[in-house]
Amino acid sequence: MEALLSLGGDSVLGLVGILAAATAIIVEVLKAVLPKSFPTKILAMIVSFVVVLGYTFVFGTISVASIILAIFGGFVVSFISMFGFDQFKEIINRFTGGENKDG
C-alpha cells in the first residue's frame, strides 16, 4: 500500500493508462466471443474491475484499503477505457472521412 501511495503523479497516470489499454484490448477481444446482445459498457466495467483487482493482488499488498482503492480505480479505468476508444474513433473518423452520421 505504501508503495502505491509513494508513486508520483506521472507514474500513476502511466499505470492507469496501461490498465485502461489492457482493458480496452480485452473488451474488444471478448466482444467478438460474446453474443451481440451483451452490453459493451457493462463488459468494460466488469473487465476493468478484474484487471485492476488482479493488478492489486499480484503487485500490491492485500488489505481492505488496497481493495477499496482498487474498486475506485476500477471505475476510473472503466470510464477511460469505455469513452477513450470512442473519442479516438471519432477523431480518426473526423480526419479520415470515415463513417458518416447521416447514413
Side-chain angles (χ1 to χ4, degrees):
M1 180 72 173
E2 292 85 21
L4 181 63
L5 294 176
S6 66
L7 290 175
D10 54 346
S11 298
V12 172
L13 287 176
L15 179 62
V16 169
I18 290 170
L19 292 175
T23 299
I25 291 169
I26 293 170
V27 166
E28 290 299 318
V29 170
L30 287 177
K31 277 175 41 177
V33 176
L34 293 174
K36 300 290 182 194
S37 62
F38 197 82
T40 304
K41 291 186 180 185
I42 292 175
L43 178 64
M45 191 165 283
I46 292 169
V47 169
S48 69
F49 285 133
V50 170
V51 167
V52 173
L53 283 172
Y55 176 83
T56 302
F57 289 150
V58 170
F59 294 108
T61 58
I62 301 172
S63 67
V64 173
S66 65
I67 292 174
I68 291 172
L69 283 174
I71 291 171
F72 175 73
F75 281 113
V76 172
V77 168
S78 67
F79 182 79
I80 292 171
S81 66
M82 281 189 287
F83 298 111
F85 184 74
D86 293 337
Q87 293 297 326
F88 178 71
K89 194 164 79 171
E90 281 184 26
I91 290 170
I92 294 297
N93 287 338
R94 180 181 303 162
F95 290 110
T96 61
E99 296 181 26
N100 292 332
K101 293 188 178 187
D102 296 335

